[in-house]
Amino acid sequence: MTQPIGVNKELCISCGVCARVCPSGTIAGSKGEEPQINEEAHCITCGLCEAFCPKDAIQTEYAGEYPAQDYEGVNEVSPKELAKCLQQRRTTRQYKSNIVPRERIEDILDVVRYAPTGGNAQPVHWTIISDQRKLKAIGDGVAKYLKVAVEHMSDSPYKNIFSNLVSAYEGGHNVITWGAPHLVAVSTDETAISGDADGIIAMSWFEIVLQTYGLGSVWLGLIKMAALNSPEVAELLALPEKTKLQYTMAFGEPSLKVQKIPKRNAAKVHWH
């Protein structure tokens, strides 16, 4: 077959599901009809046909790997369990010095690689920094950038904020990486059609899955800002070539435990 997907006619029951879920018109056909592969269509290898086929009749030949973990017998997450997981997520700025085992980080990434991306382009790259000397150098580089930035600010409301951050950092209070044992930088291919959204979605998934492993995180806008304006900081992040930085986050094992879900404003909903 020239398309990266095909149909096993011995297993197919002509339910029409594969054609209904295909976003690119690569599979055509209605219920009661044998599915037809459109060789002129552009298959985006999203796998929806395979995922929704009730008889496992879809054959795929595109690149990729299935989940490393076996989920047979695992119950679905209840609405209440998911609600609690999301609502008790808190920014973590106090960490234990424990290094998270690489195998655990790989397990987390095995999940978050399934985060949706525009056109199923999968342009997301993960750069994990655990070298404590490099993390210290990144913190120093960001503080250096902020110092220079303050000198060029006049009426900006960030001038005092940045000055205070530099003073705190130089005084021994790490307000840049917060003493976390790890830093993750998400970047996307320069050619990605929706790289900005893809990177943030992936990072959001990463943050939530971290929590299920008893880990915490903090989004680091200062490092992204410095990396986009300071060659020194950008070089320390060592992102893959021809990728665009989307965001940075520190993570590790929290030294404090969330005891209660705090208040938030009601959702701003507009019904039509």
Side-chain angles (χ1 to χ4, degrees):
M1 57 185 176
T2 56
Q3 289 285 17
I5 57 172
V7 180
N8 185 327
K9 295 181 179 180
E10 294 182 1
L11 297 176
C12 177
I13 58 174
S14 300
C15 63
V17 168
C18 55
R20 286 170 56 191
V21 301
C22 179
S24 61
T26 303
I27 302 181
S30 301
K31 185 176 182 179
E33 300 176 350
E34 183 178 294
Q36 300 297 316
I37 303 298
N38 180 2
E39 298 294 349
E40 302 300 322
H42 174 62
C43 175
I44 63 172
T45 65
C46 63
L48 288 180
C49 53
E50 180 181 18
F52 286 98
C53 176
K55 293 298 181 179
D56 195 24
I58 301 296
Q59 302 168 322
T60 61
E61 291 189 357
Y62 55 82
E65 298 178 357
Y66 291 105
Q69 302 183 60
D70 180 9
Y71 298 114
E72 185 176 354
V74 177
N75 295 325
E76 293 185 5
V77 178
S78 72
K80 285 187 176 180
E81 289 171 329
L82 181 58
K84 182 181 179 182
C85 177
L86 293 172
Q87 291 175 340
Q88 72 178 9
R89 185 223 66 86
R90 302 268 71 79
T91 295
T92 300
R93 294 188 178 90
Q94 296 81 29
Y95 294 91
K96 295 181 180 180
S97 59
N98 304 351
I99 296 295
V100 180
R102 180 170 179 170
E103 295 76 13
R104 186 167 302 172
I105 299 175
E106 289 176 339
D107 286 343
I108 293 169
L109 293 174
D110 186 53
V111 176
V112 301
R113 66 190 174 95
Y114 277 85
T117 57
N120 190 41
Q122 302 176 56
V124 179
H125 297 258
W126 301 87
T127 300
I128 310 291
I129 300 174
S130 305
D131 186 318
Q132 300 305 299
R133 291 172 298 180
K134 180 171 280 192
L135 288 174
K136 175 64 166 56
I138 290 173
D140 293 346
V142 173
K144 179 180 177 181
Y145 160 74
L146 292 177
K147 260 187 171 180
V148 174
V150 167
E151 294 175 358
H152 295 86
M153 291 179 174
S154 54
D155 300 324
S156 172
Y158 290 102
K159 183 170 185 176
N160 288 336
I161 296 175
F162 287 178
S163 294
N164 291 336
L165 288 172
V166 172
S167 296
Y169 184 81
E170 292 181 340
H173 181 33
N174 187 350
V175 293
I176 296 176
T177 62
W178 298 97
H182 304 279
L183 174 71
V184 55
V186 166
S187 59
T188 54
D189 296 335
E190 291 177 343
T191 56
I193 59 175
S194 57
D196 292 356
D198 296 340
I200 296 301
I201 291 170
M203 186 75 92
S204 297
W205 275 45
F206 183 81
E207 179 186 38
I208 296 301
V209 179
L210 278 176
Q211 186 173 315
T212 67
Y213 283 83
L215 304 173
S217 60
V218 54
W219 294 73
L220 299 174
L222 285 178
I223 293 183
K224 177 184 178 180
M225 181 190 303
L228 294 178
N229 294 281
S230 165
E232 176 184 347
V233 176
E235 183 176 352
L236 287 167
L237 290 182
L239 301 179
E241 292 184 4
K242 297 182 179 180
T243 67
K244 175 184 176 183
L245 175 63
Q246 297 299 344
Y247 224 89
T248 54
M249 175 183 287
F251 69 96
E253 185 178 351
S255 60
L256 299 175
K257 183 178 180 180
V258 174
Q259 304 292 336
K260 181 181 178 181
I261 298 173
K263 294 179 180 179
R264 286 292 184 269
N265 294 332
K268 298 177 177 66
V269 183
H270 308 277
W271 302 98
H272 296 279

